[in-house]
Amino acid sequence: MSEFSEKVGGLIEAKQWNAALDEIQIALDQNASSAEHWVMQSRVFLEMKRLSYALSSVQHALSLSPNFAPAHYQMAYVLRARGQVADAIVSYARAFNLHPVLGDSLGWCHAMVLIFAQYQLAMPIAEFWSQQRPDEAGAWFLLGSCRLALRLDAIEALLKAWALEPSILDLPNNLGGAYLMKGDLIQAQHWLNIASERQADDENTLSNLALLNKLNKSNLLAKKTE
């Protein structure tokens, strides 16, 4: 963090909005082509709930420096504040790919997976979290959920989540689905039984149970015809 960002950041934390804007204007008068200065201005306007000004400032920052990660992070926050959550998620994923930071990325990842089903965007964030904070059950659950949705082996990640926090509601169903994909019907039955006890009327659980029953019947018929 630059001395300028640290100083203005302190004013933002102290809610001294006008003083912060004054410092930013002095900096812009000296160097109007600094994307950092425009991002800081956007931050102040966002804190002041002046969303159109916040958007304009961060857009200008990105026009000056299209690959400036802080500008993409700021754009994500501005878009979220404006209610454009789907667009905010795309901006956040772009920012994360440019320069990954932990911060509140797990919260964004959670929204990507469980609300918007953006598994490709979410998976790098979940992978990063699971590497940096291997004791975070949520990261392993989201990583496993992404891998499952993308038809990749998800069992290891989901089992790590289970070991850390078995109370995660959808974990048994996802494990059942992962074992179904692998063709291990015994383990699939085990986990889907747990899922059914937790969420008897859940559509995903019912769908996985129906598939499991279909596969069991097919295997039984195959044995009878041998």
Side-chain angles (χ1 to χ4, degrees):
M1 180 182 291
S2 71
E3 183 178 343
F4 165 77
S5 291
E6 190 172 351
K7 182 176 183 179
V8 175
L11 292 171
I12 292 173
E13 288 182 12
K15 303 186 187 304
Q16 296 181 25
W17 315 129
N18 291 332
L21 289 174
D22 287 344
E23 289 290 337
I24 293 166
Q25 191 57 57
I26 292 170
L28 285 172
D29 289 342
Q30 295 173 351
N31 183 9
S33 62
S34 169
E36 179 189 15
H37 297 166
W38 290 99
V39 168
M40 294 305 294
Q41 186 178 75
S42 178
R43 279 187 59 191
V44 177
F45 285 137
L46 181 59
E47 292 289 344
M48 297 173 73
K49 313 298 184 188
R50 299 172 68 179
L51 300 185
S52 61
Y53 287 97
L55 179 62
S56 178
S57 294
V58 74
Q59 285 175 333
H60 191 68
L62 285 169
S63 72
L64 293 168
S65 183
N67 292 321
F68 187 45
H72 286 285
Y73 279 113
Q74 178 63 16
M75 177 63 83
Y77 291 115
V78 172
L79 291 173
R80 185 174 66 179
R82 286 166 57 90
Q84 299 171 242
V85 184
D87 294 331
I89 278 174
V90 174
S91 286
Y92 194 91
R94 188 175 295 122
F96 192 89
N97 287 333
L98 288 168
H99 183 69
V101 294
L102 283 172
D104 59 349
S105 60
L106 196 60
W108 285 89
C109 188
H110 189 277
M112 289 179 193
V113 174
L114 300 181
I115 300 175
F116 293 94
Q118 292 283 356
Y119 305 111
Q120 289 280 12
L121 293 179
M123 194 155 74
I125 299 175
E127 286 176 336
F128 186 77
W129 262 94
S130 64
Q131 293 163 9
Q132 299 295 318
R133 302 271 183 86
D135 57 342
E136 292 279 354
W140 292 110
F141 169 67
L142 293 172
L143 176 58
S145 298
C146 289
R147 293 187 64 84
L148 180 61
L150 297 171
R151 307 295 295 173
L152 301 170
D153 187 1
I155 292 171
E156 181 181 359
L158 293 172
L159 285 177
K160 285 182 177 179
W162 178 265
L164 290 164
E165 194 174 326
S167 62
I168 296 176
L169 190 61
D170 292 328
L171 249 178
N173 176 63
N174 286 10
L175 274 162
Y179 279 109
L180 274 175
M181 189 172 69
K182 188 178 180 180
D184 188 336
L185 302 189
I186 294 175
Q187 282 296 321
Q189 183 74 68
H190 167 72
W191 290 106
L192 290 175
N193 285 344
I194 297 174
S196 185
E197 290 172 3
R198 288 189 178 188
Q199 306 180 85
D201 299 323
D202 178 67
E203 291 183 6
N204 292 327
T205 300
L206 292 172
S207 176
N208 279 334
L209 283 169
L211 177 58
L212 176 63
N213 291 334
K214 182 178 179 180
L215 292 173
N216 279 328
K217 287 179 182 178
S218 295
N219 288 348
L220 185 61
L221 287 172
K223 288 181 181 178
K224 286 183 178 179
T225 56
E226 286 178 355

